[in-house]
Amino acid sequence: MAQLYANSSFTGSDMIDVFAPYVASAPKNCSFVIANTLKGLPFPDDTFDYVFQRMQVGSFRELEWPEVYAELVRVTKRGGWVELIDTDGRLYNSGPAATAYDEKLHYMFGLRGINMACISHRSRNLENAGLESVVHKTISVPVGWGGDIGAAAAKNTITSYKSLRPVMLVALGLGEDEYSAMTSKATAELLPGTTYKTYWNAEVAYGRKPELADKIMIE
């Protein structure tokens, strides 16, 4: 985005320093900060014209989301927009192994107070946070079929099996061999050529922060 829109400035934030490898090659109009949304983003009110958050449904407990929405809206300028993209974490029309993994994944998140299905109420959540002209769309993404997009979605899903291994082993008491066998079967069901037309849903929601109300002059 910074490369495409050189006259705008962009700021990325994360709780940990994932940016270090990219700082040297980043455009001059792109900067990075380490921040925790729940502890307050380090920006004044009404700072950004556009605030975007992606794939963070697994990062916050269900009861924490109102704070997240409020903080994103706070740093957005009047007349600016907030957009969020997430997934409910479900694979649909998947094979038995991938479906079984899904169930264990949601059970693990539930132990942490995370309800990935809560994003189905996102339109109401954004309106409650003070946004107007709210739009919520569901976009189905093929996994393992449907061309380049399906191949990329399968790669992301399989990569998540690897990255989630440590927490899944501890939270669910699984053994290394058990986890490997389970994810190997699930992976086979997602590779090109599979008979399963698996897909996941991207939930896209955005809304506009209202302009300041016109002053009412009373004589």
Side-chain angles (χ1 to χ4, degrees):
M1 292 291 286
Q3 292 173 338
L4 289 174
Y5 302 98
N7 293 326
S8 298
S9 59
F10 296 82
T11 303
S13 72
D14 205 305
M15 288 179 60
I16 59 175
D17 186 7
V18 297
F19 313 110
Y22 313 105
V23 171
S25 60
K28 293 182 179 179
N29 59 328
C30 183
S31 59
F32 306 96
V33 297
I34 299 175
N36 183 336
T37 305
L38 291 175
K39 294 182 178 179
L41 296 171
F43 308 106
D45 295 355
D46 307 320
T47 295
F48 300 102
D49 295 289
Y50 172 66
V51 173
F52 176 71
Q53 179 176 283
R54 179 179 66 182
M55 298 303 179
Q56 294 298 304
V57 70
S59 300
F60 303 106
R61 295 179 177 87
E62 185 172 8
L63 295 177
E64 293 171 336
W65 274 103
E67 297 177 58
V68 174
Y69 295 131
E71 185 63 4
L72 298 180
V73 172
R74 180 188 70 78
V75 300
T76 304
K77 291 180 180 178
R78 294 283 177 177
W81 293 82
V82 177
E83 181 177 19
L84 300 98
I85 298 179
D86 265 308
T87 174
D88 63 4
R90 293 286 184 187
L91 289 177
Y92 296 92
N93 200 32
S94 55
T99 300
Y101 183 91
D102 247 17
E103 295 302 322
K104 292 183 183 298
L105 176 68
H106 280 261
Y107 178 73
M108 183 273 291
F109 276 120
L111 295 175
R112 295 172 167 227
I114 295 171
N115 176 15
M116 301 179 81
C118 71
I119 62 172
S120 62
H121 308 300
R122 185 151 277 174
S123 292
R124 184 173 71 245
N125 298 146
L126 294 181
E127 290 170 350
N128 290 342
L131 298 183
E132 61 183 14
S133 303
V134 173
V135 173
H136 184 179
K137 299 185 292 184
T138 300
I139 302 172
S140 295
V141 180
V143 181
W145 60 281
D148 292 343
I149 292 178
K155 181 179 179 180
N156 285 346
T157 302
I158 294 167
T159 300
S160 76
Y161 293 162
K162 298 176 182 178
S163 63
L164 287 166
R165 173 186 290 264
V167 67
M168 291 283 278
L169 293 180
V170 173
L172 303 180
L174 299 174
E176 290 278 358
D177 291 343
E178 182 182 5
Y179 188 84
S180 294
M182 177 174 61
T183 55
S184 293
K185 292 178 182 178
T187 295
E189 296 173 353
L190 303 177
L191 294 176
T194 178
T195 58
Y196 301 103
K197 297 296 184 182
T198 303
Y199 65 93
W200 59 268
N201 288 330
E203 303 291 342
V204 181
Y206 55 88
R208 180 175 177 269
K209 187 173 180 177
E211 300 276 5
L212 287 172
D214 294 335
K215 294 182 179 179
I216 300 175
M217 305 300 291
I218 301 176
E219 296 183 357

